[in-house]
Amino acid sequence: MKRNNGKFKDLRIVDNFYQTSAFFPMPTILISTIDDEGRTTLGAYSLCFPYYIAGKDYYAMILECRNSSNTAQNLLKRGKCALNFLEDNYKDFKETVRLGFPGETSKEKMKNCPFKLEKGMAEGNDRPLIISSAFQVFECSWDDTLENAYEDKTRVNLLDGVEPPYRNFNGITSKFGCHFILKIDKILMKERFYNTIINGVKASGFPNVPVDYGYRDSTNFWYSRFKKPLKAPIPNVEQNSIDGVMYAANRTDPTIKFSKEACEMLVKVPRVFLKTVLNGCVKYAKEHNITYIDEKIMKDINDKRKKERK
């Protein structure tokens, strides 16, 4: 395939720029929420991305949507949702496009919906059902404490637009817009793909993940079919020297010391992450009243990390 070596043109930026002024790959997600009658309803979204990924006391996604949508209204009122990721299937994609088109009530949209629903695993009886055929599901709760967004719960059912004030990143953010910081309570995954992540990733173990490009003209939504994923090896990174690790380790905290054997277990940690790893070791040591980290303690720390990943 030839690369496009033509000249760049200055394209006008307009509303929904990610669709109308760009080719922007996005996920295809069906979000389940609970409507005013207590039933699970589904809405299609692509503007849903990882938000808090490390260093916080929880992990989160961010959802961007119209504040008048059924999903936004249900989240403002009840604060619970599930992000359902579907594999590449043209029939399912057509149904996703239908569920994403505005104007119908939740009851009208769900009348002939073909997706089978089941109960998830997150705690609470106020959770929406999840899609049985999804390859993975994030069960989430809206963190309405950020920016005091809980105050927006009183500004519901304003389907023709909401007047100021607006929030910057969580809650009602404009006359027609809404952002939700969604705390991830559970990640559910079908066994085949679960085993791929736990036992080692291979191309044959990937789900058939479609990529959505959104509304592109006056008649169609567009997406790309899944193909076998390709891999490129991670560049060889020069190992830390044992002397360098020991120097950094024994200066991380004056009350905690590391043995040479313990430091040898950290020489393959990329330098950019070494300080973070050492701080984690010190935290573990203080929690267990340890002042000297030897090889045995380092193994305990590594075992704890492995358990947390699982």
Side-chain angles (χ1 to χ4, degrees):
M1 181 178 178
K2 294 183 178 180
R3 292 181 180 274
N4 188 342
N5 294 318
K7 294 182 179 180
F8 283 107
K9 301 284 289 183
D10 184 4
L11 187 63
R12 185 167 64 99
I13 304 172
V14 297
D15 284 357
N16 295 329
F17 68 89
Y18 61 95
Q19 296 174 317
T20 53
S21 304
F23 295 94
F24 197 82
M26 300 175 289
T28 301
I29 301 174
L30 283 176
I31 299 182
S32 48
T33 55
I34 296 178
D35 67 15
D36 292 340
E37 297 181 15
R39 298 174 301 195
T40 294
T41 183
L42 299 173
Y45 290 89
S46 287
L47 295 181
C48 191
F49 308 99
Y51 192 72
Y52 290 147
I53 63 169
K56 298 283 288 185
D57 59 354
Y58 65 90
Y59 303 101
M61 302 285 285
I62 183 169
L63 168 65
E64 305 169 40
C65 58
R66 292 178 297 107
N67 57 41
S68 61
S69 70
N70 296 328
T71 298
Q73 290 293 306
N74 294 339
L75 273 169
L76 286 168
K77 295 171 185 177
R78 285 167 283 277
K80 296 290 191 295
C81 70
L83 314 181
N84 302 272
F85 295 77
L86 302 182
E87 290 196 81
D88 178 9
N89 180 297
Y90 184 68
K91 184 178 179 180
D92 288 351
F93 182 75
K94 287 185 67 176
E95 178 64 10
T96 298
V97 171
R98 186 189 72 81
L99 289 169
F101 200 77
E104 291 185 320
T105 65
S106 296
K107 186 175 182 179
E108 290 169 337
K109 283 193 174 186
M110 295 300 292
K111 183 178 180 181
N112 297 311
C113 182
F115 295 114
K116 180 182 177 181
L117 304 177
E118 64 181 69
K119 185 175 174 58
M121 296 185 186
E123 294 182 1
N125 296 320
D126 57 347
R127 299 277 181 172
L129 300 176
I130 67 175
I131 298 177
S132 300
S133 58
F135 69 84
Q136 71 180 12
V137 179
F138 295 177
E139 294 190 273
C140 300
S141 302
W142 176 35
D143 187 350
D144 61 9
T145 64
L146 299 173
E147 275 204 295
N148 296 330
Y150 56 84
E151 295 172 356
D152 288 343
K153 293 181 177 181
T154 62
R155 302 201 290 170
V156 295
N157 300 324
L158 303 174
L159 306 185
D160 295 324
V162 183
E163 298 303 317
Y166 302 126
R167 318 261 169 219
N168 290 315
F169 66 91
N170 190 40
I172 296 174
T173 53
S174 67
K175 184 172 183 178
F176 302 110
C178 230
H179 287 183
F180 295 97
I181 308 303
L182 301 174
K183 176 183 177 183
I184 300 175
D185 301 313
K186 290 282 186 183
I187 292 181
L188 311 181
M189 190 170 296
K190 290 296 176 60
E191 185 175 8
R192 173 190 168 194
F193 309 119
Y194 172 93
N195 291 335
T196 295
I197 288 180
I198 297 301
N199 299 326
V201 177
K202 297 180 180 179
S204 59
F206 270 73
N208 297 332
V209 182
V211 175
D212 173 31
Y213 292 92
Y215 184 78
R216 188 61 56 194
D217 53 37
S218 61
T219 55
N220 299 300
F221 275 75
W222 293 79
Y223 89 108
S224 63
R225 305 300 303 264
F226 178 82
K227 294 183 179 180
K228 181 180 178 180
L230 303 177
K231 62 181 178 180
I234 297 173
N236 290 327
V237 179
E238 183 182 352
Q239 286 190 177
N240 298 301
S241 69
I242 182 61
D243 290 338
V245 174
M246 290 187 68
Y247 180 87
N250 289 312
R251 284 161 178 76
T252 301
D253 188 283
T255 64
I256 308 295
K257 297 300 179 184
F258 292 73
S259 73
K260 181 178 180 180
E261 292 74 17
C263 291
E264 285 176 344
M265 299 172 68
L266 300 177
V267 294
K268 292 185 178 181
V269 174
R271 290 176 184 174
V272 68
F273 299 126
L274 182 59
K275 184 176 180 181
T276 299
V277 171
L278 290 171
N279 285 334
C281 294
V282 167
K283 181 181 177 182
Y284 178 91
K286 289 186 173 182
E287 289 173 349
H288 293 80
N289 296 317
I290 296 168
T291 59
Y292 186 71
I293 298 177
D294 58 16
E295 185 177 10
K296 180 182 181 304
I297 298 300
M298 188 62 74
K299 287 181 178 178
D300 291 340
I301 294 172
N302 288 337
D303 288 343
K304 180 176 180 290
R305 286 194 190 123
K306 289 178 181 178
K307 288 179 181 177
E308 288 174 347
R309 289 194 190 103
K310 290 183 180 181

